[in-house]
């Protein structure tokens, strides 16, 4: 069980907005460590989606945005498209485990 | 552009040592960056295994630390993972990745395609 908690699944219709939460604690997000997000399309390697809480790497559509507050972070996807159907993972550093940790992942289904 | 490619045996026997290599193209490892390994058991989430700097300094995930060794060969522009005393629980897709490090705020900005390693007799 990860120290970063994500909902197992979320869903939305094309064009809608969905959010994925990543809840941590005072030993990780709450200590000021950045949260990063990855998208893993079926059968492929993860791809960096958001770095440093809210920064989109070149090539990532602005439909994807990230935010952080307190001990939690969120990934928002607007204008949902079928190609967004994937697993999404948050990642940060945990001082208790002294390791870079990932959330357990959230499966996004586009209805 | 920078690319990473994992290679190694797809099948390892229990109690033996898993050995993987990550070849980096389009960038010289000796110029900088940290480099690392992440794994993903079938149908499960991601686990950071360990990372190293081009100079050779290493950082390992504590639960795996006693069984891991990560090394670099700058002459071949590749880095390697050795995981000893493997069990079925080590069966996973293994990814190598480049680490963008700002203090302790590391993230993995480039990934290889991954290589599946199965531990079975």
């Amino acid at each position: 069980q990860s120290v970063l908690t994500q909902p197992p699944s979320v869903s939305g219709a094309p064009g809608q907005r969905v959010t994925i939460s990543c809840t941590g604690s005072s030993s990780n997000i709450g200590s000021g460590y950045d949260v990063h997000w990855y998208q893993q399309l079926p059968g492929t390697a993860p791809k960096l989606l958001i770095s440093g809480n809210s920064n989109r790497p070149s090539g990532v559509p602005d439909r994807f945005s990230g935010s952080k507050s307190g001990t939690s972070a969120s990934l928002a996807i607007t204008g949902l498209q079928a190609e967004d159907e994937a697993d999404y993972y948050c990642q940060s550093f945990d001082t208790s485990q002294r390791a870079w940790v990932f959330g357990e992942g959230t499966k996004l289904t586009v209805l | 552009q920078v690319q990473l490619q994992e290679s190694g045996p797809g099948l390892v026997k229990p109690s033996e040592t898993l050995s993987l290599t990550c070849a980096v193209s389009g960038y010289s490892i000796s110029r900088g960056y940290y480099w690392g390994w992440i794994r993903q058991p079938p149908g499960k989430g991601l686990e950071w295994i360990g990372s190293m700097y081009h100079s050779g300094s290493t950082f390992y995930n504590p639960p795996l630390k006693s069984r891991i060794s990560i090394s670099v060969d700058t002459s071949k522009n590749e880095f390697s993972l050795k995981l000893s005393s493997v069990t079925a629980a080590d069966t996973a897709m293994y990814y190598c990745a480049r680490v963008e490090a700002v203090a302790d705020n590391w993230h993995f900005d480039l990934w290889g395609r991954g290589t599946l390693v199965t531990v079975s007799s």
Side-chain angles (χ1 to χ4, degrees), chain B residues 63-91:
Chain B
L64 301 170
K65 186 174 182 177
S66 63
R67 298 195 292 132
I68 295 173
S69 175
I70 296 177
S71 60
V72 61
D73 187 335
T74 53
S75 67
K76 295 182 178 180
N77 213 42
E78 61 186 32
F79 59 101
S80 300
L81 168 69
K82 291 187 186 301
L83 178 63
S84 63
S85 304
V86 298
T87 69
D90 296 309
T91 292

Side-chain angles (χ1 to χ4, degrees), chain A residues 64-81:
Chain A
F64 296 90
S65 63
S67 64
K68 172 189 157 184
S69 179
T71 58
S72 297
S74 290
L75 172 70
I77 310 172
T78 59
L80 207 56
Q81 299 180 4

Side-chain angles (χ1 to χ4, degrees), chain A residues 48-101:
Chain A
L48 179 66
L49 198 63
I50 297 287
S51 67
N53 305 316
S54 60
N55 301 307
R56 278 179 288 104
S58 174
V60 174
D62 59 7
R63 301 186 296 106
F64 296 90
S65 63
S67 64
K68 172 189 157 184
S69 179
T71 58
S72 297
S74 290
L75 172 70
I77 310 172
T78 59
L80 207 56
Q81 299 180 4
E83 67 202 50
D84 298 333
E85 194 161 280
D87 293 324
Y88 293 84
Y89 294 89
C90 61
Q91 176 247 313
S92 187
F93 180 76
D94 188 88
T95 56
S96 295
Q97 297 196 359
R98 299 182 66 183
W100 286 271
V101 294

Side-chain angles (χ1 to χ4, degrees), chain B residues 15-56:
Chain B
S15 80
E16 295 190 345
T17 296
L18 176 162
S19 295
L20 297 175
T21 296
C22 180
V24 179
S25 59
Y27 185 87
S28 174
I29 287 180
S30 60
R31 286 179 57 192
Y33 280 104
Y34 286 82
W35 307 84
W37 292 93
I38 299 111
R39 69 180 181 179
Q40 183 174 35
K44 296 188 177 181
L46 301 165
E47 179 184 32
W48 172 69
I49 298 171
S51 298
M52 48 137 280
Y53 194 52
H54 68 88
S55 61

